[in-house]
Amino acid sequence: QVQLVESGGGLVQAGGSLRLSCAASGRTFSRYVMGWFRQAPGKEREFVAAITSGGITVYADSVKGRFTASRDNAKNTVYLQMNSLKPEDTAVYYCAAGGRVVIPSRSYDYEYWGQGTQVTVSS
């Protein structure tokens, strides 16, 4: 069992930056693919980024070049550095962990989810 707790969300002006953190419980954190997803009001949850146990990253086209996922296995924590934020990045951001992820952008490949953290970008 893995429990995930996100933090770092907030209100920021367009062009600004935020860093989200996701702290995980459990001794097998390093084995999991960690994903970041987001859900805006009235929209479906969408993939943002993922990072494998070996540090390989995958990004949605909408955030490529602006967002960076990283992980610290010693701290059981994954991060999402978000730069050049846009109003359309406003959403609840979720981290997820998957032990058998085949397609990182597919939400149902992930077994565990955090409660989410709100990110609001004002124009």
Side-chain angles (χ1 to χ4, degrees), residues 24-108:
S25 65
R27 292 174 293 179
T28 59
F29 169 80
S30 63
R31 301 179 189 176
Y32 286 93
V33 173
M34 301 299 296
W36 287 97
F37 291 78
R38 66 187 182 187
Q39 187 167 19
K43 294 187 177 181
E44 294 188 352
R45 189 172 297 188
E46 65 174 0
F47 169 75
V48 175
I51 183 166
T52 69
S53 57
I56 296 171
T57 52
V58 181
Y59 299 96
D61 287 343
S62 59
V63 307
K64 205 170 290 184
R66 300 188 297 124
F67 290 11
T68 303
S70 61
R71 66 191 296 162
D72 185 337
N73 290 333
K75 294 183 178 180
N76 278 15
T77 302
V78 62
Y79 305 96
L80 185 68
Q81 178 67 44
M82 306 186 294
N83 298 329
S84 302
L85 283 161
K86 305 174 182 180
E88 51 264 43
D89 294 319
T90 295
V92 177
Y93 282 70
Y94 299 89
C95 73
R100 297 186 181 90
V101 173
V102 176
I103 300 176
S105 60
R106 195 165 62 185
S107 61
Y108 61 82

